[in-house]
Amino acid sequence: MKPIITILFLTFSILSGIAQNKGKDLLNEVSQKVKGYDNIEIDFKYILENTAENVKQETRGDVILQGDNYKLNILGITRMFDGKTLYTISPEDEEVTISSQAEDQADAITPSKMLSFYEDGYTYEMDIVQNIKGRKIQYVKLTPIDSNSEIKYILLGVDATTKHIYNLIQVGKNGTKTTLTVNSFKTNEPLSKTLFTFDASKYQDYYINKLD
C-alpha cells in the first residue's frame, strides 16, 4: 500500500509542477508583450464586493501607463505619478495631496505594477479556460508565497490569442473580492510630453496637502 501512496504522491507532485511551469510560462509571455510597448491605455470596470459585509461597489476608470509613470482616473479622482511623486487630485474636495509613492504596502497592486505585479512573490497554477464573447480566456491562479499576505489568491485571466490581460480577480483573506475587467486596451498612442507633469497653476484655488 505504501508504494502506491508514494507513486500517487509523486504523480500529483509532477502534475502540479507542470501546471505551475505552464502558468509561469504563460505569464512570462504576457510580461514580454507588455514590456514591448512604449505606453498602454486601459479603460476598465472595477467591482469590489464583500458579501458578509453587504458591500458592493462598481465603477469604471481609465489609466495611461508609461514605464513607472501613470495617470489614473477613478471615482472622480485623478492619481498621477511621475516616477517620484504621487499627486492625488480631488475636484470635489478642491484638494491636491502630494506624496512619495507608497512602497510599504507589499500587497498593493498600484497602476504602475498592475501589468507586472505577478512576476515575483507568487506560486502559479493553470486554472479554468472560459469562452467570453468568442475570446478564449485562460486563467492562472496566483497564490502569495508570503503566508502573512492579506491576499488569499488571485485569478489572472489572459486572452490566449493576444496575450493581454483580460481581467484580474483578487480574493482577500477577509472575504473581500475585487474584480478588474479590461474594456479596451490601446498601445503606443501619441502622448503629450507633459501628461505626467503636475501643473500647479491649474490648482491655485485648491488646498495643497503635502504629506512628505
Side-chain angles (χ1 to χ4, degrees):
M1 188 70 178
K2 190 175 181 180
I4 294 176
I5 293 174
T6 302
I7 291 171
L8 287 173
F9 176 77
L10 289 172
T11 301
F12 284 129
S13 296
I14 292 169
L15 290 174
S16 176
I18 291 172
Q20 179 160 329
N21 287 336
K22 285 185 176 180
K24 180 65 173 177
D25 289 344
L26 177 59
L27 294 186
N28 281 340
E29 287 186 68
V30 175
S31 180
Q32 290 303 311
K33 194 78 177 286
V34 166
K35 289 176 181 177
Y37 300 128
D38 178 63
N39 61 69
I40 298 171
E41 294 186 27
I42 299 173
D43 180 88
F44 61 88
K45 180 172 69 173
Y46 177 84
I47 300 175
L48 182 148
E49 52 190 327
N50 186 312
T51 305
E53 299 293 332
N54 196 29
V55 172
K56 184 169 184 179
Q57 182 183 46
E58 183 173 337
T59 188
R60 299 177 75 96
D62 61 81
V63 63
I64 299 175
L65 305 160
Q66 186 174 50
D68 289 332
N69 299 347
Y70 66 81
K71 187 172 184 179
L72 168 69
N73 295 301
I74 190 169
L75 295 172
I77 294 174
T78 297
R79 290 168 63 86
M80 184 171 66
F81 185 60
D82 62 7
K84 294 181 179 180
T85 305
L86 175 65
Y87 301 89
T88 302
I89 305 165
S90 174
E92 182 178 351
D93 299 325
E94 293 190 343
E95 179 178 358
V96 176
T97 301
I98 303 175
S99 65
S100 58
Q101 177 77 307
E103 297 293 347
D104 56 339
Q105 296 178 317
D107 283 347
I109 301 176
T110 61
S112 55
K113 296 192 298 181
M114 68 183 296
L115 296 178
S116 62
F117 75 92
Y118 51 80
E119 294 178 344
D120 298 296
Y122 297 90
T123 59
Y124 312 88
E125 182 181 354
M126 294 293 270
D127 208 87
I128 65 171
V129 177
Q130 285 188 334
N131 188 305
I132 301 177
K133 297 180 180 179
R135 298 169 67 184
K136 179 183 176 183
I137 306 299
Q138 171 68 63
Y139 283 90
V140 179
K141 185 176 182 179
L142 287 70
T143 303
I145 295 173
D146 182 2
S147 60
N148 294 319
S149 172
E150 295 180 2
I151 298 173
K152 186 176 181 180
Y153 64 86
I154 294 172
L155 287 173
L156 202 59
V158 177
D159 187 310
T161 301
T162 64
K163 298 300 186 294
H164 290 162
I165 293 175
Y166 169 73
N167 68 349
L168 178 153
I169 303 168
Q170 177 177 301
V171 178
K173 291 179 179 177
N174 64 355
T176 299
K177 176 183 175 182
T178 55
T179 304
L180 188 151
T181 303
V182 175
N183 293 323
S184 70
F185 190 100
K186 299 178 182 179
T187 62
N188 299 336
E189 295 288 302
L191 302 180
S192 166
K193 293 181 179 180
T194 60
L195 180 65
F196 305 108
T197 302
F198 177 69
D199 186 354
S201 66
K202 295 181 179 179
Y203 306 98
Q204 294 181 6
D205 296 330
Y206 280 44
Y207 172 70
I208 306 298
N209 181 20
K210 294 185 178 181
L211 299 182
D212 301 326

PDB file of all heavy atoms in Angstrom, residues 124-155:
ATOM      1  N   TYR A 124       2.324  29.655  -9.103  1.00  0.00           N
ATOM      2  CA  TYR A 124       1.429  29.727 -10.248  1.00  0.00           C
ATOM      3  C   TYR A 124       0.797  28.368 -10.545  1.00  0.00           C
ATOM      4  O   TYR A 124       1.439  27.338 -10.402  1.00  0.00           O
ATOM      5  CB  TYR A 124       2.187  30.204 -11.494  1.00  0.00           C
ATOM      6  CG  TYR A 124       3.037  31.427 -11.261  1.00  0.00           C
ATOM      7  CD1 TYR A 124       4.350  31.303 -10.813  1.00  0.00           C
ATOM      8  CD2 TYR A 124       2.525  32.702 -11.476  1.00  0.00           C
ATOM      9  CE1 TYR A 124       5.128  32.428 -10.589  1.00  0.00           C
ATOM     10  CE2 TYR A 124       3.296  33.827 -11.252  1.00  0.00           C
ATOM     11  CZ  TYR A 124       4.598  33.688 -10.805  1.00  0.00           C
ATOM     12  OH  TYR A 124       5.362  34.798 -10.578  1.00  0.00           O
ATOM     13  N   GLU A 125      -0.437  28.413 -10.976  1.00  0.00           N
ATOM     14  CA  GLU A 125      -1.130  27.185 -11.341  1.00  0.00           C
ATOM     15  C   GLU A 125      -2.155  27.484 -12.431  1.00  0.00           C
ATOM     16  O   GLU A 125      -2.947  28.414 -12.301  1.00  0.00           O
ATOM     17  CB  GLU A 125      -1.832  26.591 -10.119  1.00  0.00           C
ATOM     18  CG  GLU A 125      -2.544  25.281 -10.375  1.00  0.00           C
ATOM     19  CD  GLU A 125      -3.239  24.771  -9.129  1.00  0.00           C
ATOM     20  OE1 GLU A 125      -3.073  25.376  -8.051  1.00  0.00           O
ATOM     21  OE2 GLU A 125      -3.969  23.763  -9.243  1.00  0.00           O
ATOM     22  N   MET A 126      -2.114  26.719 -13.507  1.00  0.00           N
ATOM     23  CA  MET A 126      -3.101  26.903 -14.568  1.00  0.00           C
ATOM     24  C   MET A 126      -4.486  26.590 -14.017  1.00  0.00           C
ATOM     25  O   MET A 126      -4.682  25.603 -13.305  1.00  0.00           O
ATOM     26  CB  MET A 126      -2.789  25.991 -15.751  1.00  0.00           C
ATOM     27  CG  MET A 126      -1.496  26.340 -16.467  1.00  0.00           C
ATOM     28  SD  MET A 126      -1.549  27.938 -17.337  1.00  0.00           S
ATOM     29  CE  MET A 126      -2.140  27.398 -18.944  1.00  0.00           C
ATOM     30  N   ASP A 127      -5.468  27.426 -14.337  1.00  0.00           N
ATOM     31  CA  ASP A 127      -6.826  27.249 -13.844  1.00  0.00           C
ATOM     32  C   ASP A 127      -7.749  27.013 -15.038  1.00  0.00           C
ATOM     33  O   ASP A 127      -7.327  26.508 -16.071  1.00  0.00           O
ATOM     34  CB  ASP A 127      -7.240  28.470 -13.013  1.00  0.00           C
ATOM     35  CG  ASP A 127      -8.272  28.142 -11.957  1.00  0.00           C
ATOM     36  OD1 ASP A 127      -7.893  27.738 -10.843  1.00  0.00           O
ATOM     37  OD2 ASP A 127      -9.470  28.278 -12.251  1.00  0.00           O
ATOM     38  N   ILE A 128      -9.003  27.403 -14.914  1.00  0.00           N
ATOM     39  CA  ILE A 128     -10.001  27.114 -15.947  1.00  0.00           C
ATOM     40  C   ILE A 128      -9.804  27.957 -17.206  1.00  0.00           C
ATOM     41  O   ILE A 128      -9.119  28.984 -17.179  1.00  0.00           O
ATOM     42  CB  ILE A 128     -11.433  27.327 -15.422  1.00  0.00           C
ATOM     43  CG1 ILE A 128     -11.658  28.816 -15.086  1.00  0.00           C
ATOM     44  CG2 ILE A 128     -11.701  26.447 -14.217  1.00  0.00           C
ATOM     45  CD1 ILE A 128     -13.105  29.150 -14.760  1.00  0.00           C
ATOM     46  N   VAL A 129     -10.419  27.511 -18.280  1.00  0.00           N
ATOM     47  CA  VAL A 129     -10.489  28.269 -19.532  1.00  0.00           C
ATOM     48  C   VAL A 129     -11.946  28.659 -19.753  1.00  0.00           C
ATOM     49  O   VAL A 129     -12.841  27.826 -19.606  1.00  0.00           O
ATOM     50  CB  VAL A 129      -9.992  27.442 -20.725  1.00  0.00           C
ATOM     51  CG1 VAL A 129     -10.154  28.237 -22.024  1.00  0.00           C
ATOM     52  CG2 VAL A 129      -8.543  27.040 -20.534  1.00  0.00           C
ATOM     53  N   GLN A 130     -12.189  29.917 -20.082  1.00  0.00           N
ATOM     54  CA  GLN A 130     -13.543  30.385 -20.350  1.00  0.00           C
ATOM     55  C   GLN A 130     -13.628  30.973 -21.751  1.00  0.00           C
ATOM     56  O   GLN A 130     -12.669  31.581 -22.232  1.00  0.00           O
ATOM     57  CB  GLN A 130     -13.980  31.439 -19.330  1.00  0.00           C
ATOM     58  CG  GLN A 130     -14.322  30.892 -17.960  1.00  0.00           C
ATOM     59  CD  GLN A 130     -14.924  31.951 -17.052  1.00  0.00           C
ATOM     60  OE1 GLN A 130     -14.680  33.141 -17.213  1.00  0.00           O
ATOM     61  NE2 GLN A 130     -15.715  31.520 -16.090  1.00  0.00           N
ATOM     62  N   ASN A 131     -14.773  30.780 -22.386  1.00  0.00           N
ATOM     63  CA  ASN A 131     -15.045  31.425 -23.663  1.00  0.00           C
ATOM     64  C   ASN A 131     -15.926  32.635 -23.378  1.00  0.00           C
ATOM     65  O   ASN A 131     -17.083  32.494 -23.003  1.00  0.00           O
ATOM     66  CB  ASN A 131     -15.755  30.453 -24.613  1.00  0.00           C
ATOM     67  CG  ASN A 131     -15.877  31.030 -26.013  1.00  0.00           C
ATOM     68  OD1 ASN A 131     -16.405  32.127 -26.209  1.00  0.00           O
ATOM     69  ND2 ASN A 131     -15.393  30.288 -26.994  1.00  0.00           N
ATOM     70  N   ILE A 132     -15.348  33.819 -23.521  1.00  0.00           N
ATOM     71  CA  ILE A 132     -16.070  35.055 -23.217  1.00  0.00           C
ATOM     72  C   ILE A 132     -16.220  35.870 -24.495  1.00  0.00           C
ATOM     73  O   ILE A 132     -15.253  36.410 -25.025  1.00  0.00           O
ATOM     74  CB  ILE A 132     -15.338  35.879 -22.142  1.00  0.00           C
ATOM     75  CG1 ILE A 132     -15.185  35.045 -20.859  1.00  0.00           C
ATOM     76  CG2 ILE A 132     -16.085  37.184 -21.851  1.00  0.00           C
ATOM     77  CD1 ILE A 132     -14.424  35.741 -19.759  1.00  0.00           C
ATOM     78  N   LYS A 133     -17.437  35.891 -25.006  1.00  0.00           N
ATOM     79  CA  LYS A 133     -17.740  36.620 -26.235  1.00  0.00           C
ATOM     80  C   LYS A 133     -16.791  36.239 -27.361  1.00  0.00           C
ATOM     81  O   LYS A 133     -16.268  37.089 -28.092  1.00  0.00           O
ATOM     82  CB  LYS A 133     -17.697  38.132 -25.982  1.00  0.00           C
ATOM     83  CG  LYS A 133     -18.733  38.625 -24.989  1.00  0.00           C
ATOM     84  CD  LYS A 133     -18.641  40.121 -24.776  1.00  0.00           C
ATOM     85  CE  LYS A 133     -19.687  40.613 -23.778  1.00  0.00           C
ATOM     86  NZ  LYS A 133     -19.598  42.066 -23.524  1.00  0.00           N
ATOM     87  N   GLY A 134     -16.567  34.930 -27.488  1.00  0.00           N
ATOM     88  CA  GLY A 134     -15.720  34.440 -28.567  1.00  0.00           C
ATOM     89  C   GLY A 134     -14.236  34.482 -28.283  1.00  0.00           C
ATOM     90  O   GLY A 134     -13.433  34.051 -29.122  1.00  0.00           O
ATOM     91  N   ARG A 135     -13.862  34.976 -27.112  1.00  0.00           N
ATOM     92  CA  ARG A 135     -12.445  35.049 -26.751  1.00  0.00           C
ATOM     93  C   ARG A 135     -12.110  33.928 -25.772  1.00  0.00           C
ATOM     94  O   ARG A 135     -12.829  33.695 -24.804  1.00  0.00           O
ATOM     95  CB  ARG A 135     -12.126  36.408 -26.112  1.00  0.00           C
ATOM     96  CG  ARG A 135     -12.372  37.580 -27.028  1.00  0.00           C
ATOM     97  CD  ARG A 135     -12.308  38.887 -26.247  1.00  0.00           C
ATOM     98  NE  ARG A 135     -10.971  39.171 -25.757  1.00  0.00           N
ATOM     99  CZ  ARG A 135     -10.682  40.227 -24.982  1.00  0.00           C
ATOM    100  NH1 ARG A 135     -11.648  41.051 -24.602  1.00  0.00           N
ATOM    101  NH2 ARG A 135      -9.451  40.445 -24.578  1.00  0.00           N
ATOM    102  N   LYS A 136     -11.000  33.253 -26.016  1.00  0.00           N
ATOM    103  CA  LYS A 136     -10.546  32.195 -25.121  1.00  0.00           C
ATOM    104  C   LYS A 136      -9.719  32.831 -24.009  1.00  0.00           C
ATOM    105  O   LYS A 136      -8.636  33.361 -24.262  1.00  0.00           O
ATOM    106  CB  LYS A 136      -9.710  31.172 -25.899  1.00  0.00           C
ATOM    107  CG  LYS A 136      -9.179  30.032 -25.039  1.00  0.00           C
ATOM    108  CD  LYS A 136      -8.307  29.098 -25.855  1.00  0.00           C
ATOM    109  CE  LYS A 136      -7.693  28.023 -24.970  1.00  0.00           C
ATOM    110  NZ  LYS A 136      -6.782  27.132 -25.747  1.00  0.00           N
ATOM    111  N   ILE A 137     -10.244  32.772 -22.795  1.00  0.00           N
ATOM    112  CA  ILE A 137      -9.561  33.369 -21.648  1.00  0.00           C
ATOM    113  C   ILE A 137      -9.022  32.259 -20.753  1.00  0.00           C
ATOM    114  O   ILE A 137      -9.774  31.468 -20.194  1.00  0.00           O
ATOM    115  CB  ILE A 137     -10.499  34.285 -20.830  1.00  0.00           C
ATOM    116  CG1 ILE A 137     -11.142  35.347 -21.738  1.00  0.00           C
ATOM    117  CG2 ILE A 137      -9.738  34.933 -19.686  1.00  0.00           C
ATOM    118  CD1 ILE A 137     -10.166  36.286 -22.424  1.00  0.00           C
ATOM    119  N   GLN A 138      -7.700  32.192 -20.661  1.00  0.00           N
ATOM    120  CA  GLN A 138      -7.035  31.209 -19.809  1.00  0.00           C
ATOM    121  C   GLN A 138      -6.703  31.843 -18.462  1.00  0.00           C
ATOM    122  O   GLN A 138      -6.030  32.858 -18.388  1.00  0.00           O
ATOM    123  CB  GLN A 138      -5.750  30.710 -20.471  1.00  0.00           C
ATOM    124  CG  GLN A 138      -4.866  29.845 -19.579  1.00  0.00           C
ATOM    125  CD  GLN A 138      -5.487  28.513 -19.246  1.00  0.00           C
ATOM    126  OE1 GLN A 138      -5.721  27.702 -20.134  1.00  0.00           O
ATOM    127  NE2 GLN A 138      -5.758  28.279 -17.965  1.00  0.00           N
ATOM    128  N   TYR A 139      -7.185  31.243 -17.397  1.00  0.00           N
ATOM    129  CA  TYR A 139      -6.915  31.784 -16.061  1.00  0.00           C
ATOM    130  C   TYR A 139      -5.704  31.101 -15.432  1.00  0.00           C
ATOM    131  O   TYR A 139      -5.491  29.894 -15.581  1.00  0.00           O
ATOM    132  CB  TYR A 139      -8.138  31.602 -15.151  1.00  0.00           C
ATOM    133  CG  TYR A 139      -9.234  32.602 -15.446  1.00  0.00           C
ATOM    134  CD1 TYR A 139     -10.220  32.303 -16.381  1.00  0.00           C
ATOM    135  CD2 TYR A 139      -9.263  33.839 -14.823  1.00  0.00           C
ATOM    136  CE1 TYR A 139     -11.227  33.222 -16.675  1.00  0.00           C
ATOM    137  CE2 TYR A 139     -10.257  34.764 -15.105  1.00  0.00           C
ATOM    138  CZ  TYR A 139     -11.234  34.449 -16.032  1.00  0.00           C
ATOM    139  OH  TYR A 139     -12.202  35.366 -16.317  1.00  0.00           O
ATOM    140  N   VAL A 140      -4.913  31.912 -14.742  1.00  0.00           N
ATOM    141  CA  VAL A 140      -3.782  31.420 -13.962  1.00  0.00           C
ATOM    142  C   VAL A 140      -4.037  31.808 -12.510  1.00  0.00           C
ATOM    143  O   VAL A 140      -4.340  32.965 -12.216  1.00  0.00           O
ATOM    144  CB  VAL A 140      -2.444  32.024 -14.440  1.00  0.00           C
ATOM    145  CG1 VAL A 140      -1.289  31.501 -13.599  1.00  0.00           C
ATOM    146  CG2 VAL A 140      -2.208  31.724 -15.915  1.00  0.00           C
ATOM    147  N   LYS A 141      -3.929  30.845 -11.614  1.00  0.00           N
ATOM    148  CA  LYS A 141      -4.150  31.117 -10.196  1.00  0.00           C
ATOM    149  C   LYS A 141      -2.822  31.449  -9.536  1.00  0.00           C
ATOM    150  O   LYS A 141      -1.854  30.690  -9.621  1.00  0.00           O
ATOM    151  CB  LYS A 141      -4.794  29.905  -9.507  1.00  0.00           C
ATOM    152  CG  LYS A 141      -5.156  30.166  -8.050  1.00  0.00           C
ATOM    153  CD  LYS A 141      -5.874  28.961  -7.444  1.00  0.00           C
ATOM    154  CE  LYS A 141      -6.280  29.237  -6.004  1.00  0.00           C
ATOM    155  NZ  LYS A 141      -6.991  28.088  -5.405  1.00  0.00           N
ATOM    156  N   LEU A 142      -2.764  32.614  -8.881  1.00  0.00           N
ATOM    157  CA  LEU A 142      -1.569  33.061  -8.199  1.00  0.00           C
ATOM    158  C   LEU A 142      -1.816  33.014  -6.691  1.00  0.00           C
ATOM    159  O   LEU A 142      -2.792  33.582  -6.197  1.00  0.00           O
ATOM    160  CB  LEU A 142      -1.199  34.495  -8.591  1.00  0.00           C
ATOM    161  CG  LEU A 142      -0.617  34.738  -9.984  1.00  0.00           C
ATOM    162  CD1 LEU A 142      -1.654  34.540 -11.072  1.00  0.00           C
ATOM    163  CD2 LEU A 142      -0.055  36.156 -10.074  1.00  0.00           C
ATOM    164  N   THR A 143      -0.950  32.339  -5.983  1.00  0.00           N
ATOM    165  CA  THR A 143      -1.048  32.257  -4.526  1.00  0.00           C
ATOM    166  C   THR A 143       0.189  32.902  -3.918  1.00  0.00           C
ATOM    167  O   THR A 143       1.316  32.526  -4.277  1.00  0.00           O
ATOM    168  CB  THR A 143      -1.153  30.797  -4.064  1.00  0.00           C
ATOM    169  OG1 THR A 143      -2.275  30.175  -4.702  1.00  0.00           O
ATOM    170  CG2 THR A 143      -1.338  30.727  -2.553  1.00  0.00           C
ATOM    171  N   PRO A 144       0.022  33.877  -3.020  1.00  0.00           N
ATOM    172  CA  PRO A 144       1.183  34.555  -2.424  1.00  0.00           C
ATOM    173  C   PRO A 144       2.092  33.576  -1.686  1.00  0.00           C
ATOM    174  O   PRO A 144       1.613  32.678  -0.981  1.00  0.00           O
ATOM    175  CB  PRO A 144       0.550  35.553  -1.444  1.00  0.00           C
ATOM    176  CG  PRO A 144      -0.831  35.760  -1.948  1.00  0.00           C
ATOM    177  CD  PRO A 144      -1.245  34.443  -2.527  1.00  0.00           C
ATOM    178  N   ILE A 145       3.385  33.740  -1.858  1.00  0.00           N
ATOM    179  CA  ILE A 145       4.356  32.925  -1.131  1.00  0.00           C
ATOM    180  C   ILE A 145       4.389  33.332   0.338  1.00  0.00           C
ATOM    181  O   ILE A 145       4.541  32.498   1.222  1.00  0.00           O
ATOM    182  CB  ILE A 145       5.754  33.067  -1.782  1.00  0.00           C
ATOM    183  CG1 ILE A 145       5.729  32.492  -3.208  1.00  0.00           C
ATOM    184  CG2 ILE A 145       6.819  32.380  -0.940  1.00  0.00           C
ATOM    185  CD1 ILE A 145       6.994  32.733  -3.991  1.00  0.00           C
ATOM    186  N   ASP A 146       4.222  34.631   0.588  1.00  0.00           N
ATOM    187  CA  ASP A 146       4.211  35.159   1.952  1.00  0.00           C
ATOM    188  C   ASP A 146       2.923  34.740   2.659  1.00  0.00           C
ATOM    189  O   ASP A 146       1.832  35.159   2.286  1.00  0.00           O
ATOM    190  CB  ASP A 146       4.326  36.681   1.911  1.00  0.00           C
ATOM    191  CG  ASP A 146       4.378  37.310   3.305  1.00  0.00           C
ATOM    192  OD1 ASP A 146       4.365  36.553   4.295  1.00  0.00           O
ATOM    193  OD2 ASP A 146       4.426  38.549   3.399  1.00  0.00           O
ATOM    194  N   SER A 147       3.048  33.935   3.686  1.00  0.00           N
ATOM    195  CA  SER A 147       1.868  33.449   4.409  1.00  0.00           C
ATOM    196  C   SER A 147       1.152  34.563   5.165  1.00  0.00           C
ATOM    197  O   SER A 147      -0.004  34.397   5.573  1.00  0.00           O
ATOM    198  CB  SER A 147       2.271  32.339   5.388  1.00  0.00           C
ATOM    199  OG  SER A 147       3.221  32.822   6.332  1.00  0.00           O
ATOM    200  N   ASN A 148       1.822  35.700   5.356  1.00  0.00           N
ATOM    201  CA  ASN A 148       1.208  36.834   6.061  1.00  0.00           C
ATOM    202  C   ASN A 148       0.474  37.781   5.121  1.00  0.00           C
ATOM    203  O   ASN A 148      -0.078  38.789   5.556  1.00  0.00           O
ATOM    204  CB  ASN A 148       2.274  37.619   6.845  1.00  0.00           C
ATOM    205  CG  ASN A 148       2.874  36.796   7.974  1.00  0.00           C
ATOM    206  OD1 ASN A 148       2.153  36.074   8.671  1.00  0.00           O
ATOM    207  ND2 ASN A 148       4.187  36.887   8.148  1.00  0.00           N
ATOM    208  N   SER A 149       0.482  37.461   3.832  1.00  0.00           N
ATOM    209  CA  SER A 149      -0.199  38.309   2.859  1.00  0.00           C
ATOM    210  C   SER A 149      -1.692  38.373   3.149  1.00  0.00           C
ATOM    211  O   SER A 149      -2.304  37.403   3.588  1.00  0.00           O
ATOM    212  CB  SER A 149       0.027  37.776   1.442  1.00  0.00           C
ATOM    213  OG  SER A 149      -0.768  38.473   0.500  1.00  0.00           O
ATOM    214  N   GLU A 150      -2.280  39.543   2.908  1.00  0.00           N
ATOM    215  CA  GLU A 150      -3.721  39.701   3.081  1.00  0.00           C
ATOM    216  C   GLU A 150      -4.498  39.114   1.903  1.00  0.00           C
ATOM    217  O   GLU A 150      -5.715  38.999   1.946  1.00  0.00           O
ATOM    218  CB  GLU A 150      -4.073  41.178   3.250  1.00  0.00           C
ATOM    219  CG  GLU A 150      -3.500  41.798   4.529  1.00  0.00           C
ATOM    220  CD  GLU A 150      -3.864  43.254   4.692  1.00  0.00           C
ATOM    221  OE1 GLU A 150      -4.600  43.765   3.814  1.00  0.00           O
ATOM    222  OE2 GLU A 150      -3.426  43.872   5.671  1.00  0.00           O
ATOM    223  N   ILE A 151      -3.771  38.748   0.845  1.00  0.00           N
ATOM    224  CA  ILE A 151      -4.392  38.156  -0.341  1.00  0.00           C
ATOM    225  C   ILE A 151      -4.456  36.646  -0.193  1.00  0.00           C
ATOM    226  O   ILE A 151      -3.446  35.998   0.120  1.00  0.00           O
ATOM    227  CB  ILE A 151      -3.595  38.514  -1.609  1.00  0.00           C
ATOM    228  CG1 ILE A 151      -3.579  40.034  -1.831  1.00  0.00           C
ATOM    229  CG2 ILE A 151      -4.175  37.813  -2.833  1.00  0.00           C
ATOM    230  CD1 ILE A 151      -2.674  40.468  -2.975  1.00  0.00           C
ATOM    231  N   LYS A 152      -5.621  36.081  -0.414  1.00  0.00           N
ATOM    232  CA  LYS A 152      -5.787  34.624  -0.382  1.00  0.00           C
ATOM    233  C   LYS A 152      -5.290  34.041  -1.698  1.00  0.00           C
ATOM    234  O   LYS A 152      -4.479  33.121  -1.717  1.00  0.00           O
ATOM    235  CB  LYS A 152      -7.254  34.258  -0.147  1.00  0.00           C
ATOM    236  CG  LYS A 152      -7.503  32.775   0.049  1.00  0.00           C
ATOM    237  CD  LYS A 152      -8.982  32.512   0.367  1.00  0.00           C
ATOM    238  CE  LYS A 152      -9.248  31.031   0.585  1.00  0.00           C
ATOM    239  NZ  LYS A 152     -10.683  30.780   0.895  1.00  0.00           N
ATOM    240  N   TYR A 153      -5.792  34.582  -2.808  1.00  0.00           N
ATOM    241  CA  TYR A 153      -5.300  34.199  -4.126  1.00  0.00           C
ATOM    242  C   TYR A 153      -5.783  35.201  -5.163  1.00  0.00           C
ATOM    243  O   TYR A 153      -6.670  36.019  -4.902  1.00  0.00           O
ATOM    244  CB  TYR A 153      -5.749  32.783  -4.526  1.00  0.00           C
ATOM    245  CG  TYR A 153      -7.241  32.617  -4.688  1.00  0.00           C
ATOM    246  CD1 TYR A 153      -7.878  32.913  -5.895  1.00  0.00           C
ATOM    247  CD2 TYR A 153      -8.033  32.139  -3.645  1.00  0.00           C
ATOM    248  CE1 TYR A 153      -9.244  32.757  -6.060  1.00  0.00           C
ATOM    249  CE2 TYR A 153      -9.403  31.974  -3.802  1.00  0.00           C
ATOM    250  CZ  TYR A 153     -10.001  32.296  -4.998  1.00  0.00           C
ATOM    251  OH  TYR A 153     -11.349  32.147  -5.158  1.00  0.00           O
ATOM    252  N   ILE A 154      -5.174  35.140  -6.348  1.00  0.00           N
ATOM    253  CA  ILE A 154      -5.544  35.994  -7.476  1.00  0.00           C
ATOM    254  C   ILE A 154      -5.749  35.113  -8.696  1.00  0.00           C
ATOM    255  O   ILE A 154      -4.968  34.190  -8.949  1.00  0.00           O
ATOM    256  CB  ILE A 154      -4.446  37.036  -7.777  1.00  0.00           C
ATOM    257  CG1 ILE A 154      -4.311  38.034  -6.619  1.00  0.00           C
ATOM    258  CG2 ILE A 154      -4.740  37.786  -9.081  1.00  0.00           C
ATOM    259  CD1 ILE A 154      -3.134  38.968  -6.766  1.00  0.00           C
ATOM    260  N   LEU A 155      -6.810  35.374  -9.429  1.00  0.00           N
ATOM    261  CA  LEU A 155      -7.015  34.723 -10.723  1.00  0.00           C
ATOM    262  C   LEU A 155      -6.748  35.760 -11.801  1.00  0.00           C
ATOM    263  O   LEU A 155      -7.385  36.811 -11.834  1.00  0.00           O
ATOM    264  CB  LEU A 155      -8.437  34.187 -10.842  1.00  0.00           C
ATOM    265  CG  LEU A 155      -8.774  32.945 -10.004  1.00  0.00           C
ATOM    266  CD1 LEU A 155     -10.268  32.649 -10.090  1.00  0.00           C
ATOM    267  CD2 LEU A 155      -7.965  31.737 -10.476  1.00  0.00           C
TER     268      LEU A 155
END
